[in-house]
Amino acid sequence: LVASSSKGPGVPTLEDVGYPSPDLAPFLVGGESQGLELMTKVLERKEWVAKFEKPSTAPTEFKPPSTTCLSPYLKFGCVSARRFHAALVVIYRANSSSSKPPVSLEGQVLWREFYYTVAADTPNYDRMQGNAICRQIPWDHNPEYLAAWEEGRTGYPWIDAAMTQLRTQGWLHHLARHAVACFLTRGDLYLSWERGAEVFDRYLLDADWALNNGNWMWLSASCFFSQYFRVYGPVSFGKKYDPEGKYIRQFLPVLKDMPKKYIYEPWKAPLEVQRKAKCIVGKDYPKPIVDHDVIHKTNIGRMAQAYKEHKELSAPPANASPAKKQKR
């Protein structure tokens, strides 16, 4: 399709068809050619590929991101997972000290297959009820909390910046996904992982039914992972990677002038500091929706009780006799 745009012949811009230009445009362009070009650029960095360990990458890096960003192309079939895996094997064979699964790039491909395998044989995989592998946890129902989380209005800049990147770019680093998922579920808001999976499915360019629901079960400690007491701090976790708050300033411009000391906790800034930064907490930026220091401890207790009740419900009756082996 060739059309007339404000800059001459070509595909019309959003402004040409009556829509405002987004402040933060998606940084990935779809299609097989784009996917193959990106894969080629990734594979040219042979030493980086060989030493890659996903947990060591930074969730706050965005120009460029600290991972490959190939997931949307793999999801849509623009890049073949087998082709990518075969190319990785060639690089690994030439580097005896390469990283290993599950943290290597090969490990990421294997995780993809793991979730596909589990999802293929699990009825009701995308919900809690009727899902045999999912712990039954009595999550709260709070539409206001859910909307604040989705719209980046929790009052925690690290969480809100990540959710803004999700909504505007359709992508998040995996550790940012971990942080916002923990915050929504067992960490702070105690809402169902099903609601979070629905939001991710709407916004993520790489939204994949098997991976998305599997990861939400994992991060809510509903399945695969059981250390529910390991909670991502909505202040400390982001600060560890980005003490200056560059990521927050990028995706939450209302906080761009907030001093480094308060960028992750603007509610602690004295009023004169807030005025100077042109950001009054409670007016220009919301107050924290919950007190993390208090609520995460409460929720750990609730998870412990939920685990206990789930175990009791799953246990066979005390007077049940072991099943006799059937003769063939």
Side-chain angles (χ1 to χ4, degrees):
L1 174 66
V2 177
S4 177
S5 74
S6 57
K7 296 182 180 179
V11 177
T13 65
L14 287 173
E15 294 97 324
D16 290 329
V17 293
Y19 290 94
S21 179
D23 294 331
L24 297 169
F27 66 98
L28 295 175
V29 178
E32 181 182 26
S33 298
Q34 293 287 338
L36 292 175
E37 180 181 347
L38 178 57
M39 183 180 72
T40 299
K41 290 179 179 179
V42 168
L43 295 172
E44 285 174 349
R45 302 168 63 190
K46 291 181 170 57
E47 184 175 354
W48 181 82
V49 168
K51 305 295 184 183
F52 179 92
E53 292 187 350
K54 195 163 186 180
S56 299
T57 58
T60 52
E61 291 184 15
F62 56 92
K63 289 184 178 180
S66 59
T67 54
T68 68
C69 294
L70 282 171
S71 53
Y73 300 101
L74 290 166
K75 175 263 175 79
F76 283 103
C78 302
V79 169
S80 162
R82 290 184 178 184
R83 181 173 178 177
F84 182 51
H85 181 265
L88 292 175
V89 170
V90 171
I91 293 176
Y92 294 147
R93 286 174 178 170
N95 291 269
S96 57
S97 59
S98 298
S99 57
K100 306 295 181 186
V103 299
S104 63
L105 280 176
E106 181 186 25
Q108 308 320 302
V109 179
L110 297 179
W111 277 121
R112 182 174 182 266
E113 301 305 315
F114 165 79
Y115 281 123
Y116 284 164
T117 302
V118 177
D121 197 37
T122 303
N124 301 308
Y125 178 78
D126 60 351
R127 66 201 67 177
M128 182 176 74
Q129 290 190 342
N131 183 342
I133 68 171
C134 183
R135 295 180 182 90
Q136 303 300 297
I137 298 172
W139 302 107
D140 291 342
H141 176 72
N142 190 320
E144 292 182 3
Y145 276 10
L146 179 62
W149 174 80
E150 178 180 351
E151 297 165 11
R153 297 186 287 103
T154 70
Y156 287 92
W158 158 236
I159 299 299
D160 293 343
M163 293 304 294
T164 301
Q165 184 184 22
L166 171 65
R167 293 194 324 277
T168 56
Q169 294 191 339
W171 190 85
L172 274 180
H173 184 280
H174 84 284
L175 289 177
R177 302 183 196 203
H178 288 199
V180 299
C182 181
F183 187 90
L184 180 72
T185 58
R186 59 189 171 85
D188 293 82
L189 303 186
Y190 215 73
L191 302 184
S192 173
W193 63 267
E194 296 170 74
R195 305 290 80 77
E198 291 166 355
V199 171
F200 270 30
D201 191 60
R202 281 201 298 273
Y203 293 114
L204 281 174
L205 294 172
D206 61 6
D208 184 302
W209 184 80
L211 279 67
N212 187 34
N213 288 291
N215 273 307
W216 272 96
M217 281 191 278
W218 184 307
L219 292 165
S220 64
S222 296
C223 185
F224 308 118
F225 177 79
S226 60
Q227 295 176 321
Y228 55 81
F229 45 84
R230 294 182 61 183
V231 174
Y232 290 85
V235 172
S236 59
F237 189 70
K239 186 184 292 188
K240 176 174 68 172
Y241 294 95
D242 180 21
E244 299 292 330
K246 294 178 181 178
Y247 180 84
I248 292 171
R249 299 178 202 281
Q250 171 71 19
F251 292 102
L252 295 180
V254 68
L255 292 170
K256 65 183 177 63
D257 295 323
M258 188 65 67
K260 167 186 172 181
K261 181 178 179 180
Y262 302 110
I263 188 67
Y264 284 90
E265 300 172 284
W267 63 90
K268 290 186 176 181
L271 185 57
E272 60 269 23
V273 173
Q274 296 181 34
R275 289 194 182 112
K276 187 175 181 181
K278 300 181 181 65
C279 180
I280 305 300
V281 175
K283 176 184 175 184
D284 304 303
Y285 181 72
K287 296 178 180 179
I289 196 170
V290 292
D291 184 340
H292 172 75
D293 291 339
V294 174
I295 199 65
H296 88 277
K297 296 175 183 176
T298 300
N299 289 345
I300 288 174
R302 295 180 72 181
M303 289 294 291
Q305 181 63 28
Y307 265 54
K308 179 182 177 182
E309 292 175 359
H310 177 80
K311 186 176 181 179
E312 291 171 351
L313 288 172
S314 304
N319 59 353
S321 58
K324 294 182 179 179
K325 187 178 291 186
Q326 295 290 328
K327 290 184 178 181
R328 294 182 180 272

